Amino acid sequence: MGSYVTQLALAGGASPICVVSSAEKAWICRTMGAEAIIDRAAEDFRFWSADQPDVREYRRFGGRIRELTGGEDVDIVVEHPGRDTFGVSVFVARKGGMIVTCASTSGYVHQYDNRYLWMNLKRIVGSHFANYREAWEANRLITKGVIHPTVSRIYPLTDTATGVHDVHNNVHHGKVAVLCLAPRDGLGVRDPEMRQRHLPAINRFGGSSPVNYC
């Protein structure tokens, strides 16, 4: 999800700030063209203390963002982890800004200080991808080579459990795929010449199998 958001932001002329959990993921963001990156593991950000949100860490994180933006807060926060980060996401969005929530991988029950929302006229928006037109436009960007698929590894059907385990332990980059009715990947490629031109970006996320335009 983060990789798609990063590419869409760059394609639209925005300046994304990528928050990652490892040096390897930071490098991947840089290869996509992102310049502002926060490695939360390396900088030891801990947004909870003794089962309570730690506002001091919120402020430290917000200060780190301003260092990267020249003193500006962010207009939009795309919030995926859920419980662990929702409070800080509300905190760091600028006045009148938006928090887009699209998943809750660390927990569905979110806790945040509502004063940072209502007193600063911020908005929380739920998103479950797109309507028909938006989905069509997203696919069009992929077929034009503006946005690239973010699958890092393709598993045979017999290794589905391994794929689930890798996702659960956050050892993947981007998405993973499982071959269900196809004997191998790449059978849906319609423009091999275009795929060849974009091969470095398509294979940016590594893995045992290259990702193909379908």
Side-chain angles (χ1 to χ4, degrees), residues 23-148:
E24 186 177 7
K25 291 184 178 180
W27 176 83
I28 290 174
C29 291
R30 291 189 181 95
T31 66
M32 288 189 289
E35 298 179 357
I37 300 168
I38 298 175
D39 184 340
R40 57 182 173 82
E43 300 188 41
D44 197 30
F45 283 109
R46 299 176 183 272
F47 303 125
W48 288 78
S49 177
D51 294 326
Q52 292 295 323
D54 191 339
V55 179
R56 293 174 300 178
E57 282 290 271
Y58 290 9
R59 293 193 177 99
R60 185 166 77 92
F61 186 69
R64 185 72 180 93
I65 289 174
R66 293 187 193 101
E67 289 177 8
L68 296 172
T69 62
E72 298 285 340
D73 292 323
V74 292
D75 295 287
I76 301 172
V77 179
V78 180
E79 162 59 48
H80 185 274
R83 177 186 181 276
D84 287 354
T85 59
F86 197 84
V88 70
S89 294
V90 171
F91 182 86
V92 299
R94 74 185 309 158
K95 290 182 178 180
M98 180 189 305
I99 302 92
V100 179
T101 174
C102 56
S104 292
T105 53
S106 64
Y108 298 108
V109 180
H110 301 173
Q111 182 174 340
Y112 67 94
D113 189 327
N114 197 38
R115 293 171 296 180
Y116 299 124
L117 186 78
W118 104 69
M119 295 178 70
N120 292 289
L121 306 177
K122 301 176 185 180
R123 293 171 291 155
I124 297 173
V125 177
S127 174
H128 198 59
F129 185 50
N131 58 33
Y132 176 83
R133 176 58 186 270
E134 291 164 344
W136 186 89
E137 291 289 355
N139 285 331
R140 185 176 67 87
L141 290 174
I142 292 176
T143 59
K144 288 170 66 69
V146 176
I147 305 296
H148 296 96

